Amino acid sequence: MEALRVLWILGCAWISSAQGSRLKTSALPIQPEREPMISKGLSGCSFGGRFYSLEDTWHPDLGEPFGVMHCVMCHCEPQRSRRGKVFGKVSCRNMKQDCPEPTCDDPVLLPGHCCKTCPKGDSGRKEAESLFEFFQEKDDDLHKSYNDRSYISSEDSSNRDSASDFVALLTGVTDSWLPSSSGVARARFTLTRTSLTFSITFQRMNRPSAVTFLDSDGNTAFEFRVPQADTDMICGVWKNLPKSHMRQLEAEQLRVSMTTADNKKEEIQGKIIKHRALFAETFSAILTSEEVHSGMGGIAMLTLSDTENNLHFILILQGLVSHGSSSAQVPVRVKLLYRQHLLREIRANISTDDSDFAEVLADLNSRELFWLSRGQLQIVVETEGQNPRQISGYISGKTSCDTLQSVMSGGSALTPGKTGGVGSAVFTLHHNGSLDYQVLVAGLSSAAVGVTIEMKPRRRSKRSVLYDITADFAAEERGGGRAAGSVSRVEARHIHMLLQNELFVNIATAEQQESELRGQIRMLPYNGLDARRNELPVPLAGQFVSPAVRTGAAGHAWVSVDEQCHLHYEIVVNGLSKSEDASVNAHLHGLAEIGEMDDSSTNHKRLLTGFYGQQAQGVLKDISVELLRHLDEGMAYIQVSTKMNPRGEIRGQIHVPNSCEFGSRGEVVEEAEFDDLVFVRDPAELRKDPHTCFFEGEHHAHGSQWTPQYNTCFTCTCQKKTVICDPVICPALSCPHTIQPEDQCCPVCDEKKETKETTAVEKVEEDPEGCYFEGDQKMHAPGTTWHPFVPPFGYIKCAVCTCKGSTGEVHCEKVTCPPLTCSRPIRRNPSDCCKECPAEDTPPLEDDEMMQADGTRHCKFGKNYYQNSEHWHPSVPLVGEMKCITCWCDHGVTKCQRKQCPLLSCSNPIRREGKCCPECIEDFMEKEEMAKMVEKKKTWRH
């Protein structure tokens, strides 16, 4: 997977450097599970999951089996935008043409080099040995003895697509017309697309009534009314930020203010800034002063080293140094206390202009780590000299409005399986280090015998169990059960790992005693909905589909209905449609729908969204009265379908009490937000977006769809630099006479020949407007039917949409297949939705669960198509054909492997041109001498 991802990046860098514009197809590349990590606050380039500074050069590493491209040199070139902002652009070139001509007769190619050189005794031997060992280690990494395909590192999870993190320290305002406050607050913000979510914790003040955002001129840009609660946490979202305010946010020109509505009328305020420490922060503290209305305060962001017990921290301080101070530098002491006993002390200097600083407390002992985990360590900052000033606070695990949750699936088990079971877990971390948990499992193949919280195993036979919570598990019917309780003493190291997404929940059963279900505990970013803060999610499993599906996928969902009778949903999946080959994994993707448990032909179903990623969320506003009634009665379901299981892969029954007897109120609008939704952007911003597609002379935003100029009967979509164009699939018509209108792609019934259709013709003529369908972004005439277009799947042949007359409403339904009398039905064509009874001489298809648009199970690599079992040598931009690597098509999945080379015992291997494997230089010289002797003998004979 990593190899194909970097191949894609390399290809794009080559295209951009050559100023070429061409169609980018979807097979080279398969989209990555991980996106390159952007280094916060730095200008540079992201390439292959690594960050490079401006002017850096490097050889791209495509991973196994391709390796490092030593003849390709990439460069992070500095560029300047119209606004003067400096950014990096990757360009790559082939260096082979720059190689000097060797002076010897028999030059050799050393491992890790691009150019041939003349053999030299032992020089370069150590370099060759280290490179050889490096490749051996990389090869060993391919053969892991445990399943880690579901693992998402902290870098991946924190680097959400197009998301930026900000922080603000709020303290008392001394120059405000409102009375000053002794309160201090820490606010964390996440900008995702055009929504700014925030989590705010406060101390030494009553709960605020309003959170106000102020622009660069001090005017109110947005005001959030704080709901009443008994906590010190405020969760909110500012939706649809104007571009002007987004620019001010990025330029650190916005401020945030909080005011109370009580008799005191307090106000605290602070500047919103970017900070690199937010990415790694796992512990935090709010520092307050015992003085009243002092305007002093601070926040500490802390994290543990990954391998050592060093506590890194950054302090952001306010008011500790008075603005009237004549001294450029003010000495301060930073103390670490336990119950007023001094444990550590650090001295530093701060100034009015720069009161922030970073330090490390090295080698915390076991007692200090224990007190850290329990929230009992106090950090104190005080100035020295006359009139010392002091602020302090207690360190605890970082808290926010985000949700700690896990979806456990069979596909992520240590030995992957397809049982159709599901596990769902939600966690709450408290200031005192205790961890509350609620775990639910269903659809297990046998009784659960172990429920554990674990680390990633180092070896298959060596699981790293941290906390065994099996004693709290209570079994239920149908292979299910629940566990609810609390781990009272979570170690500091484990709190750090938990908040870095490095822990897992494992379910062992009588039949699978190591692992039947497993899932990573991940922090789900707050999105403005409170359903998952107050309710448990609904589990989604293959066992709940009718008939049951044995799948390795699972999921859970939060569903709620608001006062306007609009339905809010959020779905998280794990193991959905994963390739059996762990080295070639595409993004998770599926279709989410909601419907009634009644399986009759009159039941009401609604397509929620097509999504591409691990989660989907949105709002459905035009819900029928019948569906709302079934939600209230607990007789509705949410179902996720995939290409492999178009009639449902995982499903869950939902119960949402509501009093919506008259259906949804308000405007009839449907909103869907999913992992890769992109809003309309201006052309200048589109050109800078690394996910933009360039096609037919125009830039298209990631996630957008359009009709191409070369053929109006195609629909194209942009998926992260990749243009995918699908031909329009026409629905089958039941009428005997059809015509092909010039302005349409599909034939329609010739209603003029059918007297019974006269009224329908008149109706079409009266209302030429028809329906606008968001999927293909086209107008459809009243009464016409079509297959919906859902990125990234293309046209969904198992669903049919209809334009309902003059109302302009579009209704989409799944195709209802007729009942069959034969015992072994087949799918006549891979793109057919329904099976049929075969003729006696018709063999069944191998893959009878394929959905439309799959076609034959061929493979697409680059611009070329390959049949099943066909072999080829891949071609890489700037390098050409790589004859030492063989790829083959395995039922629609491209697999590649480097030629296996024997291990060499010599210390100075060389590689000859045209040869795939290195040789010992002694053997090479011996062969050369033998060849020369043979040539001489031939000459003597003649």
Side-chain angles (χ1 to χ4, degrees):
M1 182 62 232
E2 185 74 11
L4 292 181
R5 178 164 73 91
V6 185
L7 271 173
W8 166 50
I9 299 173
L10 182 61
C12 294
W14 168 63
I15 289 171
S16 106
S17 66
Q19 298 297 316
S21 60
R22 59 190 69 188
L23 174 65
K24 299 170 191 161
T25 56
S26 61
L28 199 171
I30 294 175
Q31 301 297 328
E33 285 286 352
R34 295 189 306 178
E35 283 301 308
M37 180 184 68
I38 305 298
S39 183
K40 304 285 185 183
L42 294 178
S43 296
C45 302
S46 290
F47 188 96
R50 296 181 180 180
F51 179 80
Y52 297 91
S53 299
L54 296 176
E55 302 292 356
D56 277 359
T57 58
W58 68 94
H59 299 293
D61 183 359
L62 306 191
E64 294 296 339
F66 299 93
V68 177
M69 299 287 99
H70 294 286
C71 287
V72 177
M73 177 65 75
C74 293
H75 177 214
C76 181
E77 297 179 349
Q79 305 283 323
R80 189 175 294 275
S81 68
R82 292 182 179 178
R83 299 188 182 94
K85 184 178 180 181
V86 178
F87 62 95
K89 177 183 178 182
V90 176
S91 66
C92 300
R93 65 182 185 89
N94 194 329
M95 305 190 313
K96 198 163 188 178
Q97 62 267 24
D98 299 332
C99 290
E101 284 292 331
T103 56
C104 56
D105 294 331
D106 301 305
V108 295
L109 184 64
L110 295 174
H113 289 69
C114 173
C115 302
K116 286 186 176 182
T117 56
C118 295
K120 297 179 183 178
D122 292 337
S123 63
R125 181 175 298 176
K126 292 182 179 180
E127 181 182 0
E129 286 178 352
S130 61
L131 283 165
F132 187 76
E133 291 171 358
F134 171 72
F135 285 116
Q136 290 296 320
E137 290 171 0
K138 289 187 68 177
D139 184 65
D140 293 340
D141 286 342
L142 294 177
H143 308 289
K144 298 183 185 297
S145 59
Y146 56 85
N147 172 44
D148 62 349
R149 287 179 288 177
S150 69
Y151 180 70
I152 301 171
S153 71
S154 59
E155 293 181 2
D156 302 319
S157 58
S158 66
N159 182 39
R160 300 178 295 277
D161 285 345
S162 64
S164 302
D165 291 328
F166 304 83
V167 69
L169 166 63
L170 286 73
T171 57
V173 182
T174 55
D175 57 353
S176 171
W177 64 272
L178 287 174
S180 185
S181 170
S182 302
V184 179
R186 172 248 170 81
R188 178 165 183 164
F189 309 87
T190 300
L191 176 66
T192 307
R193 306 177 191 104
T194 62
S195 294
L196 185 70
T197 58
F198 49 89
S199 304
I200 305 176
T201 52
F202 56 90
Q203 291 184 14
R204 297 204 65 189
M205 68 181 298
N206 294 329
R207 186 172 178 85
S209 60
V211 177
T212 306
F213 291 83
L214 306 173
D215 64 15
S216 55
D217 296 326
N219 300 319
T220 298
F222 173 74
E223 185 173 275
F224 174 79
R225 308 304 299 180
V226 178
Q228 293 184 354
D230 295 330
T231 69
D232 61 354
M233 178 77 71
I234 299 173
C235 305
V237 60
W238 177 6
K239 292 186 177 181
N240 301 320
L241 265 75
K243 288 184 179 179
S244 59
H245 290 145
M246 291 179 67
R247 287 193 290 267
Q248 291 184 23
L249 176 67
E250 293 287 346
E252 301 184 353
Q253 296 175 347
L254 290 185
R255 299 182 67 85
V256 61
S257 167
M258 295 201 310
T259 54
T260 61
D262 54 16
N263 295 330
K264 295 182 179 180
K265 294 288 184 181
E266 297 178 274
E267 180 187 19
I268 59 175
Q269 192 179 122
K271 183 180 180 181
I272 303 176
I273 62 172
K274 281 186 175 181
H275 211 296
R276 287 180 292 171
L278 291 168
F279 170 73
E281 179 190 18
T282 50
F283 294 88
S284 64
I286 296 178
L287 283 63
T288 62
S289 170
E290 293 184 359
E291 297 181 29
V292 179
H293 301 168
S294 65
M296 291 189 294
I299 55 177
M301 297 178 283
L302 309 96
T303 188
L304 283 174
S305 301
D306 288 335
T307 56
E308 299 175 337
N309 293 327
N310 298 334
L311 186 64
H312 301 251
F313 66 90
I314 288 179
L315 294 175
I316 299 178
L317 308 172
Q318 179 66 40
L320 205 61
V321 179
S322 61
H323 289 277
S325 176
S326 58
S327 175
Q329 297 287 329
V330 176
V332 296
R333 291 188 294 176
V334 181
K335 301 177 182 179
L336 194 67
L337 304 179
Y338 170 69
R339 294 184 177 178
Q340 303 305 315
H341 295 287
L342 179 64
L343 303 176
R344 307 284 184 109
E345 182 176 293
I346 296 174
R347 294 177 181 268
N349 292 317
I350 62 174
S351 66
T352 304
D353 298 328
D354 185 13
S355 59
D356 307 348
F357 67 94
E359 262 296 349
V360 180
L361 297 171
D363 298 324
L364 268 64
N365 58 42
S366 58
R367 290 184 305 166
E368 291 170 331
L369 287 170
F370 174 76
W371 294 328
L372 174 65
S373 69
R374 304 293 284 175
Q376 296 174 342
L377 286 185
Q378 186 180 20
I379 187 168
V380 179
V381 182
E382 63 180 12
T383 60
E384 298 186 42
Q386 294 182 345
N387 302 319
R389 314 185 88 185
Q390 182 186 94
I391 55 175
S392 64
Y394 285 91
I395 305 171
S396 63
K398 182 189 71 176
T399 57
S400 69
C401 301
D402 301 342
T403 302
L404 275 170
Q405 52 83 50
S406 177
V407 175
M408 294 86 83
S409 70
S412 297
L414 294 178
T415 302
K418 295 183 177 182
T419 64
V422 62
S424 171
V426 177
F427 302 87
T428 303
L429 179 66
H430 298 284
H431 290 289
N432 64 359
S434 62
L435 180 67
D436 296 344
Y437 54 83
Q438 297 184 77
V439 182
L440 182 148
V441 297
L444 298 176
S445 61
S446 57
V449 296
V451 182
T452 51
I453 299 174
E454 305 181 359
M455 293 192 299
K456 184 179 179 181
R458 294 180 178 86
R459 299 187 302 274
R460 183 174 180 176
S461 58
K462 186 67 174 178
R463 286 167 51 200
S464 301
V465 177
L466 301 180
Y467 305 102
D468 190 335
I469 58 176
T470 311
D472 293 324
F473 183 79
E476 297 176 355
E477 298 179 354
R478 300 176 60 186
R482 299 172 184 266
S486 179
V487 179
S488 59
R489 293 187 177 182
V490 180
E491 296 181 12
R493 170 65 57 188
H494 300 156
I495 292 175
H496 172 81
M497 298 178 69
L498 175 72
L499 298 177
Q500 289 282 300
N501 299 336
E502 295 176 359
L503 298 186
F504 299 79
V505 182
N506 192 80
I507 308 296
T509 61
E511 292 184 3
Q512 301 288 336
Q513 296 196 0
E514 281 291 319
S515 174
E516 180 168 323
L517 301 176
R518 188 176 178 88
Q520 185 179 3
I521 302 176
R522 294 178 52 225
M523 188 72 79
L524 197 62
Y526 177 67
N527 60 2
L529 301 179
D530 292 325
R532 57 176 153 103
R533 293 180 57 81
N534 305 317
E535 304 170 10
L536 291 177
V538 174
L540 310 176
Q543 290 288 347
F544 299 155
V545 180
S546 180
V549 176
R550 295 181 67 85
T551 174
H556 60 202
W558 286 269
V559 184
S560 61
V561 173
D562 63 19
E563 295 178 353
Q564 284 72 41
C565 297
H566 299 161
L567 182 136
H568 301 260
Y569 62 89
E570 184 171 17
I571 305 168
V572 182
V573 295
N574 182 10
L576 194 62
S577 296
K578 287 194 173 182
S579 166
E580 293 298 325
D581 184 357
S583 66
V584 185
N585 266 335
H587 263 301
L588 314 180
H589 49 264
L591 294 172
E593 64 180 0
I594 186 169
E596 300 162 10
M597 298 301 294
D598 180 11
D599 287 329
S600 68
S601 60
T602 59
N603 65 349
H604 300 81
K605 296 181 182 178
R606 282 298 307 275
L607 183 68
L608 293 177
T609 183
F611 65 98
Y612 190 71
Q614 287 185 304
Q615 63 190 89
Q617 63 189 51
V619 186
L620 197 62
K621 297 186 177 180
D622 54 337
I623 312 175
S624 66
V625 176
E626 293 84 356
L627 186 51
L628 285 165
R629 179 170 54 83
H630 280 79
L631 283 167
D632 185 57
E633 296 172 352
M635 294 300 293
Y637 66 85
I638 274 189
Q639 179 169 284
V640 176
S641 303
T642 62
K643 284 190 175 184
M644 296 303 295
N645 290 286
R647 291 164 186 78
E649 183 157 340
I650 55 176
R651 175 192 280 196
Q653 186 173 351
I654 53 177
H655 178 208
V656 185
N658 64 83
S659 55
C660 301
E661 298 88 352
F662 304 105
S664 299
R665 295 183 282 274
E667 55 183 348
V668 181
V669 179
E670 183 173 336
E671 298 176 359
E673 299 179 3
F674 47 98
D675 276 359
D676 293 305
L677 185 62
V678 169
F679 294 84
V680 177
R681 313 252 295 281
D682 63 54
E685 290 187 358
L686 274 179
R687 285 192 291 271
K688 293 186 292 184
D689 189 340
H691 293 160
T692 297
C693 298
F694 186 73
F695 184 67
E696 294 184 330
E698 295 182 3
H699 289 86
H700 299 272
H702 163 62
S704 61
Q705 302 107 48
W706 69 95
T707 299
Q709 299 173 9
Y710 74 89
N711 193 328
T712 58
C713 290
F714 275 68
T715 298
C716 297
T717 182
C718 174
Q719 297 292 331
K720 290 186 179 177
K721 278 197 173 182
T722 301
V723 175
I724 304 172
C725 295
D726 293 285
V728 172
I729 296 179
C730 299
L733 301 176
S734 58
C735 52
H737 304 286
T738 62
I739 57 174
Q740 178 63 59
E742 293 183 2
D743 59 342
Q744 297 184 30
C745 299
C746 295
V748 297
C749 291
D750 187 0
E751 295 169 336
K752 294 182 180 179
K753 294 186 179 181
E754 305 294 330
T755 56
K756 62 181 180 179
E757 299 294 334
T758 303
T759 55
V761 175
E762 294 173 353
K763 185 176 182 181
V764 172
E765 293 173 350
E766 291 172 4
D767 183 15
E769 293 298 325
C771 307
Y772 179 76
F773 183 63
E774 187 66 30
D776 54 18
Q777 298 183 353
K778 295 178 181 178
M779 290 297 298
H780 296 267
T784 56
T785 60
W786 67 95
H787 293 300
F789 181 85
V790 180
F793 300 105
Y795 287 93
I796 307 301
K797 200 172 180 181
C798 287
V800 173
C801 295
T802 305
C803 177
K804 296 291 186 181
S806 59
T807 63
E809 293 182 357
V810 175
H811 287 263
C812 298
E813 296 180 348
K814 275 195 171 184
V815 172
T816 302
C817 296
L820 302 176
T821 57
C822 53
S823 58
R824 299 189 64 184
I826 63 168
R827 203 177 306 280
R828 185 70 63 183
N829 297 302
S831 62
D832 289 345
C833 183
C834 297
K835 296 180 182 179
E836 57 185 75
C837 290
E840 293 182 357
D841 58 346
T842 304
L845 294 174
E846 290 182 7
D847 189 353
D848 61 352
E849 288 300 324
M850 294 179 68
M851 197 172 173
Q852 62 81 219
D854 274 351
T856 56
R857 297 308 297 272
H858 59 247
C859 300
K860 194 175 185 183
F861 191 93
K863 292 185 177 181
N864 301 317
Y865 289 88
Y866 299 91
Q867 300 299 321
N868 188 40
S869 300
E870 187 175 352
H871 289 66
W872 69 95
H873 297 301
S875 181
V876 176
L878 303 180
V879 178
E881 186 179 39
M882 306 190 71
K883 295 185 178 180
C884 296
I885 296 175
T886 300
C887 298
W888 66 97
C889 180
D890 184 6
H891 295 88
V893 177
T894 298
K895 300 181 179 180
C896 298
Q897 186 176 31
R898 181 180 288 275
K899 181 179 179 180
Q900 298 297 314
C901 296
L903 291 176
L904 302 179
S905 57
C906 57
S907 57
N908 53 347
I910 61 171
R911 192 192 306 274
R912 288 187 289 162
E913 186 175 9
K915 299 293 183 181
C916 297
C917 296
E919 306 175 72
C920 291
I921 191 168
E922 296 86 355
D923 297 341
F924 169 67
M925 293 295 192
E926 186 177 341
K927 290 179 182 178
E928 287 291 307
E929 290 297 327
M930 291 293 294
K932 291 179 180 178
M933 290 295 294
V934 171
E935 285 296 322
K936 287 182 179 179
K937 289 181 180 179
K938 288 182 180 179
T939 306
W940 294 340
R941 290 172 185 169
H942 294 287

